[in-house]
């Protein structure tokens, strides 16, 4: 079980990490592994006033062959030795809910049921956060359920997101 192995290799360097995509939706056929994580940060600078992604996380991700992106950014794509694609999305505590929902999918369901509603309400995406185009208000969603509640939708279980 490749997803679990990759999760296990990255988990010690993450505040939070979960499998998304077709694995989370419990699909029979999985073509890639999607992971959403919040990498741990370490304090840097003379007085610890700055932070950077834990070098252990960077090193763990770099064990897998790079396709694009870097572990210090928002997204990186890697290849597991088995040939399976690994899509790794780095979130923050305040956008975890939104990123996890989007990266769980499905690719048809999210735009139709979630993103269209945000667009109708005047929001666009900036750095993984919905931002109101007129007021500039940025919405923070720490959990998926908060996105559903904000959009006045009943929660939909991952396996029903088709």
């Amino acid at each position: 079980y490749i997803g679990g192995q990759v999760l296990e290799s990255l988990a010690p360097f993450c505040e939070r990490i979960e499998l998304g995509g077709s694995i989370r939706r419990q699909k029979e056929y999985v073509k890639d592994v999607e992971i959403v994580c919040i990498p741990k940060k370490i304090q840097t600078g003379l007085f610890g006033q700055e932070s950077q992604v834990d070098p252990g996380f960077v090193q763990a991700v770099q064990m897998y062959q790079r396709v694009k992106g870097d572990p210090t950014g928002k997204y990186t794509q890697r290849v597991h030795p088995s040939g399976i694609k690994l899509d790794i999305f780095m979130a923050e505590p305040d956008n975890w809910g939104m990123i996890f929902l989007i990266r769980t999918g499905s690719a048809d369901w999210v735009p139709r049921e979630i993103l269209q509603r945000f667009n109708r309400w005047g929001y666009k995406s900036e750095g993984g956060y919905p931002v109101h185009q007129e007021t500039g208000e940025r919405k923070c969603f720490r959990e998926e359920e908060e996105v559903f509640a904000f959009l006045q939708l009943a929660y939909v279980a991952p396996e029903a997101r088709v």
Side-chain angles (χ1 to χ4, degrees), residues 11-104:
F13 311 105
C14 294
E15 291 178 27
R16 189 170 184 183
I17 186 166
E18 298 284 345
L19 292 169
S22 52
I23 294 174
R24 184 163 182 242
R25 293 193 324 275
Q26 300 178 6
K27 293 295 173 192
E28 190 174 327
Y29 175 73
V30 175
K31 65 178 177 148
D32 61 6
V33 173
E34 295 207 36
I35 294 173
V36 179
C37 64
I38 301 173
K40 290 179 181 174
K41 304 272 186 175
I42 61 162
Q43 300 308 306
T44 61
L46 188 58
F47 301 103
Q49 73 277 21
E50 298 172 30
S51 66
Q52 69 180 40
V53 173
D54 184 327
F57 176 78
V58 173
Q59 187 175 10
V61 169
Q62 288 175 338
M63 289 177 18
Y64 303 103
Q65 179 187 343
R66 181 182 185 277
V67 176
K68 60 185 166 185
D70 294 304
T72 55
K74 300 283 183 200
Y75 167 74
T76 186
Q77 186 178 73
R78 303 287 162 148
V79 178
H80 187 269
S82 67
I84 296 280
K85 267 192 331 184
L86 308 173
D87 291 318
I88 305 170
F89 299 89
M90 283 65 78
E92 301 167 2
D94 284 343
N95 70 1
W96 172 270
M98 191 73 186
I99 299 294
F100 194 38
L101 186 145
I102 289 170
R103 296 306 162 194
T104 292

Side-chain angles (χ1 to χ4, degrees), residues 100-119:
F100 194 38
L101 186 145
I102 289 170
R103 296 306 162 194
T104 292
S106 75
D108 293 331
W109 184 86
V110 168
R112 183 179 70 239
E113 302 296 332
I114 302 296
L115 302 181
Q116 261 187 18
R117 188 169 287 225
F118 272 113
N119 290 337

